[in-house]
Amino acid sequence: MHTLRERKKQRTRDALLRAAVELFTSQGYDGTTVDEIAEAVDVSQRTFFRYFAGKDEAALGLVRMTVARFVEAVRARPPQEAPMQALRGAVVDGWYSINEVVESVVPVELYLRMYRVIEETPVLLAAHLRRSAEAEEDLARVIAEREGLDVDADPRPRLAVAVFSGVMRAAERQWSAGGELDPEGVRLLTARCLDGLGPALLGEWREPGASRGAGGGAQA
């Protein structure tokens, strides 16, 4: 059970995170200062830095929370599931469970708008991709543990996670570049991208009888 002090600290952190996301999505990342975030919660700049190393950490705070929940969701998937099946199930079947983490701080729609800010802000996108690489390593170790493999001796866990992460990045780019950010629509788009992985890798893309041009490799 959390102590009163711990609950108070969590409320302050959540309030700062919520204020940061609201400001970033309304006036941009570069147009927002740490002082503005702190003032929105009626705390000092010093208090802000007790919770976040900088405003970039606040900007990525919700993403880190959802990734941590996702990794745990993969760990909790039924042991008989194959690796890619477990990864897909954790994100598609566990979509609303993961969203509960977000909704404890801000509405999901606001989180999706914040994701668009991350995609459009080079410094945030770079930090996001760096942390995504760290999360991929965590996932690979979870998959290796589920399969009884040595992650450093068998390349398959890292390979599976790399493929999965590539599909997720493609889905993220597609929905973040779109118009409306409907949470259920994003979930369905993500599911379609994951389900299209097999056909995209192994299927024939051209219509029957279509020839391959000079830029496509072998001639028909």
Side-chain angles (χ1 to χ4, degrees):
M1 182 178 294
H2 295 298
T3 66
L4 178 61
R5 178 180 176 81
E6 289 171 336
R7 291 197 299 271
K8 183 178 179 180
K9 288 176 66 176
Q10 186 63 50
R11 285 194 299 269
T12 300
R13 186 185 188 281
D14 288 350
L16 285 166
L17 188 52
R18 181 165 52 252
V21 170
E22 289 172 348
L23 287 167
F24 293 148
T25 54
S26 64
Q27 60 189 38
Y29 176 76
D30 292 330
T32 301
T33 67
V34 168
D35 282 338
E36 288 177 311
I37 299 171
E39 288 171 6
V41 185
D42 197 25
V43 298
S44 66
Q45 184 187 93
R46 182 178 178 181
T47 297
F48 173 91
F49 285 116
R50 286 184 189 145
Y51 294 90
F52 303 101
K55 67 176 187 175
D56 59 328
E57 189 172 301
L60 296 172
L62 288 174
V63 175
R64 294 188 71 178
M65 291 166 63
T66 58
V67 168
R69 173 61 69 89
F70 172 67
V71 172
E72 290 308 309
V74 173
R75 196 189 304 275
R77 294 300 297 177
Q80 68 271 19
E81 289 185 342
M84 293 303 291
Q85 184 182 8
L87 290 165
R88 183 197 183 280
V91 70
V92 177
D93 299 342
W95 181 264
Y96 293 104
S97 175
I98 293 171
N99 281 348
E100 288 175 1
V101 175
V102 175
E103 290 175 338
S104 69
V105 182
V106 300
V108 173
E109 292 82 356
L110 188 59
Y111 166 72
L112 295 177
R113 290 207 300 273
M114 185 63 222
Y115 213 106
R116 183 172 289 170
V117 172
I118 294 170
E119 289 283 337
E120 295 172 349
T121 308
V123 65
L124 291 182
L125 182 57
H128 172 53
L129 293 177
R130 183 176 65 253
R131 291 181 179 181
S132 294
E134 295 170 357
E136 287 177 20
E137 182 63 18
D138 292 339
L139 275 174
R141 292 185 179 279
V142 170
I143 293 296
E145 180 182 336
R146 283 172 53 91
E147 299 299 312
L149 303 174
D150 180 350
V151 72
D152 294 318
D154 192 320
R156 288 177 294 176
R158 289 192 176 103
L159 179 60
V161 170
V163 171
F164 171 82
S165 297
V167 176
M168 290 299 296
R169 280 294 298 152
E172 289 165 0
R173 285 173 181 155
Q174 189 171 342
W175 62 252
S176 66
E180 294 297 320
L181 292 176
D182 170 59
E184 177 60 13
V186 172
R187 185 184 78 86
L188 293 175
L189 172 61
T190 302
R192 286 197 300 271
C193 287
L194 289 169
D195 293 340
L197 175 61
L201 292 179
L202 304 175
E204 174 58 59
W205 294 10
R206 285 176 168 76
E207 294 294 330
S211 62
R212 296 185 180 277
Q219 297 290 326

